[in-house]
Amino acid sequence: MKTNPTSMIRRSALVLLASATAALLTNCNKGDKAGGGSGDTMRVGFAQAGAESAWRRAETESVKAEAEKRGIDLRFTDAQGKQDKQIAAVRDYIAQGLDGIILAPIVETGWDEVLGEARDAGIPVVLVDRGVSVKDESLYATLIASDFVSEGKMAGEWLVKKSGGSAKIIELEGTPGAAPAIDRKKGFDAVIAGESGMEILASQSGDFNIEKGKEVMEALLAQHADAVTAVYAHNDDMALGAIQALEAAGKKPGTEVTVISIDGGKAALGALVEGKLNCVVECLPLLGPNAFDALEKIKAGEKLEKWQKVDDQLFDAENTTKDFVDKRPY
Ligand code: GYE
């Protein structure tokens, strides 16, 4: 953990105070800010991006449940999709002098200043699920996230194979500026670039949520209903919205139009088993244990890898059973 001299002095004083207190009393040092003692309660702030998707709600639950399990004092903020709110939450956690901050950054850019403030205060920041683009990587401790470029490639390769290299695609992109939106597009584009029969008819953001996914799909179908043969949605929710729009337009999702999504939540996998969705690239949201493991390791003085990659797999009709989906925890 990086510390400035003032916070080091403050920490040393607290360590001394904690040991003195522990010598006189037992079990009374709960809530103490100093690291090291077994009875310390770690105080952590989680600045969450929003609640736009089933994926994000599962992530929030995972972090909350893990904090509870480990006896961590968790402060939570839902930034409702607004970066200024999220920055304000991080500043508030810094002002509270917490032991660590978990941040799921809405967009990639605009973080240098506030992350610098956290570093100056000696508070480690663990990024979960989305990366940032900053001048200096030491501004955050580690990133725990999937490889979104590779997810986009997996989706593209599956579609090339399935369609025999010929498809007219509507792409529903995630939130503009968000790492998974940028990289899932990059990966998919890289695969289809070498395929003359693969054409993107239109590509527009559905903001990672079901309502917007449906709305955008309806608008795009008004222009492309006759031509479209495939939908590539950057997440499950937009794919589920697109399925509704296709059905409303009298098209059969899953047969007439191939549908691909990313995430792998229960609802999308259910649609896959029903035959309305054809391929789901997994992206794991249950990052609570990894995030707190990281903070505990930092506290113990361990150096972490800058990017702890989460592994993803691919689901389609060949490897996905109803039984598996019924047991899916989110
Ligand atoms: O795929 C999407 C969510 O950042 C990886 O954000 C996450 C993405 C996830 O809203 O459903």
Side-chain angles (χ1 to χ4, degrees):
M1 185 195 297
K2 298 242 164 156
T3 43
N4 62 27
T6 326
S7 75
M8 265 173 69
I9 293 164
R10 208 180 332 127
R11 269 162 207 279
S12 314
L14 281 166
V15 170
L16 280 176
L17 185 69
S19 349
T21 313
L24 292 168
L25 307 160
T26 49
N27 218 14
C28 276
N29 59 347
K30 240 188 155 206
D32 184 355
K33 187 175 180 299
S38 58
D40 290 346
T41 300
M42 207 188 213
R43 300 185 310 149
V44 176
F46 178 23
Q48 175 58 294
E52 73 285 355
S53 62
W55 191 100
R56 192 155 302 286
R57 292 188 291 274
E59 181 189 49
T60 297
E61 270 322 299
S62 168
V63 172
K64 285 186 175 172
E66 193 64 22
E68 172 112 35
K69 195 169 138 198
R70 297 187 188 205
I72 286 166
D73 174 358
L74 184 75
R75 324 279 157 102
F76 176 77
T77 312
D78 175 346
Q80 297 167 327
K82 298 189 181 70
Q83 187 179 25
D84 55 346
K85 262 193 160 204
Q86 209 174 19
I87 290 174
V90 174
R91 287 217 165 100
D92 182 37
Y93 297 152
I94 296 169
Q96 289 179 45
L98 301 185
D99 299 300
I101 294 172
I102 301 172
L103 170 65
I106 297 171
V107 288
E108 270 190 348
T109 54
W111 296 103
D112 295 77
E113 201 180 325
V114 74
L115 290 179
E117 291 165 25
R119 190 179 58 183
D120 290 348
I123 302 174
V125 176
V126 167
L127 301 178
V128 286
D129 92 69
R130 292 183 183 179
V132 293
S133 163
V134 283
K135 283 190 212 92
D136 175 0
E137 279 206 331
S138 73
L139 287 171
Y140 62 91
T142 187
L143 162 69
I144 303 166
S146 293
D147 182 338
F148 304 131
V149 174
S150 126
E151 289 174 348
K153 281 188 181 158
M154 283 161 86
E157 278 158 8
W158 184 92
L159 185 60
V160 169
K161 201 166 159 218
K162 185 77 183 173
S163 65
S166 168
K168 294 202 183 307
I169 306 154
I170 287 181
E171 179 178 18
L172 297 174
E173 297 175 31
T175 303
I182 297 169
D183 289 348
R184 286 172 183 168
K185 180 165 188 57
K186 202 186 278 173
F188 189 83
D189 282 356
V191 169
I192 68 162
E195 301 284 336
S196 58
M198 306 289 287
E199 184 194 342
I200 297 187
L201 297 170
S203 184
Q204 209 174 303
S205 171
D207 221 3
F208 279 135
N209 74 72
I210 190 163
E211 293 83 13
K212 193 80 191 289
K214 183 176 177 217
E215 198 184 299
V216 170
M217 188 67 194
E218 276 165 1
L220 294 177
L221 278 173
Q223 276 176 276
H224 302 290
D226 293 338
V228 65
T229 65
V231 174
Y232 167 46
H234 289 188
N235 83 342
D236 284 357
D237 303 69
M238 294 188 295
L240 293 168
I243 288 172
Q244 291 178 14
L246 283 165
E247 285 178 334
K251 290 256 170 197
K252 285 203 176 68
T255 46
E256 274 178 272
V257 179
T258 302
V259 182
I260 303 169
S261 79
I262 299 181
D263 276 354
K266 207 181 179 101
L269 292 177
L272 194 153
V273 167
E274 253 187 276
K276 294 184 176 186
L277 212 154
N278 307 83
C279 170
V280 181
V281 177
E282 187 182 42
C283 180
L284 273 178
L286 308 180
L287 304 178
N290 314 48
F292 292 115
D293 278 355
L295 285 171
E296 276 164 12
K297 283 181 185 162
I298 295 163
K299 189 174 167 182
E302 265 182 62
K303 186 141 174 46
L304 300 176
E305 270 181 66
K306 215 65 215 179
W307 182 10
Q308 304 182 42
K309 244 186 233 186
V310 181
D311 280 339
D312 302 312
Q313 55 170 316
L314 184 141
F315 299 107
D316 63 10
E318 276 166 40
N319 67 4
T320 314
T321 62
K322 183 171 180 314
D323 191 44
F324 173 80
V325 177
D326 289 344
K327 292 198 188 100
R328 190 83 168 156
Y330 59 91

